[in-house]
Amino acid sequence: MDARDGQDWLDQVTNDGNPHHWAVEVDSRFVGAARLHDLDKADRRARYAVGLFDALLLGQGLGTEITRCVLTHAFDDLGLHRVDLRVLSFNHRAIASYLKCGFVEEGREREAAFVDGAWHDDVIMGILAHEFADHDDTSAL
């Protein structure tokens, strides 16, 4: 990612009306983003997404750390009851990270995404506030 990509991202999230977007910066470089979206205040839930753009940063625990920070904000500051997400079934690294944070697989949407010429399942995962509070996050360190 370069400065223009970072500015494009900032312009997009500034204009979408969702205040729950965060840039991920490492060594003064924009390397990813995280967000809570589809916030439903009545049901106290939201959907989560995170992405790292630098493949060299994968596998170092950064995504897990980001996810824990966002979940802490979601449950402690926003008072949410539930956070869920969708992840492609072949993204084993992300699924392992989400499991480390306390998410559980709730289901699959079969062949929901056409990626690189093939159909793939979406894995639906969720975590509840009390599950996050009770989760032993030292097991992932």
Side-chain angles (χ1 to χ4, degrees):
M1 303 294 295
D2 61 20
R4 183 70 208 148
D5 294 325
Q7 186 61 52
D8 289 345
W9 176 85
L10 182 60
D11 292 343
Q12 177 187 358
V13 301
T14 301
N15 293 325
D16 79 356
N18 180 355
H20 306 290
H21 282 260
W22 299 273
V24 177
E25 183 180 303
V26 174
D27 297 328
S28 301
R29 290 184 314 120
F30 175 62
V31 298
R35 69 183 175 136
L36 291 170
H37 58 104
D38 296 336
L39 187 67
D40 183 327
K41 291 181 181 181
D43 289 333
R44 295 177 33 215
R45 66 182 181 181
R47 179 147 298 159
Y48 175 62
V50 61
L52 294 173
F53 311 134
D54 186 341
L56 297 175
L57 295 174
L58 299 177
Q60 298 181 20
L62 184 58
T64 300
E65 182 180 349
I66 295 163
T67 299
R68 285 190 182 125
C69 288
V70 172
L71 290 175
T72 297
H73 176 67
F75 295 129
D76 293 352
D77 300 331
L78 299 178
L80 297 183
H81 173 70
R82 171 187 172 80
V83 174
D84 63 33
L85 59 86
R86 299 168 73 94
V87 59
L88 290 166
S89 60
F90 63 78
N91 194 343
H92 303 289
R93 184 176 286 151
I95 292 169
S97 174
Y98 299 139
L99 291 170
K100 283 181 187 178
C101 293
F103 280 90
V104 297
E105 183 175 331
E106 298 178 332
R108 287 179 177 255
E109 192 171 16
R110 297 177 306 130
E111 297 187 2
F114 193 70
V115 179
D116 294 331
W119 289 103
H120 298 278
D121 294 354
D122 263 340
V123 177
I124 300 160
M125 302 181 82
I127 186 169
L128 305 177
H130 69 87
E131 292 170 335
F132 184 67
D134 294 342
H135 186 69
D136 177 17
D137 60 336
T138 59
S139 65
L141 299 176

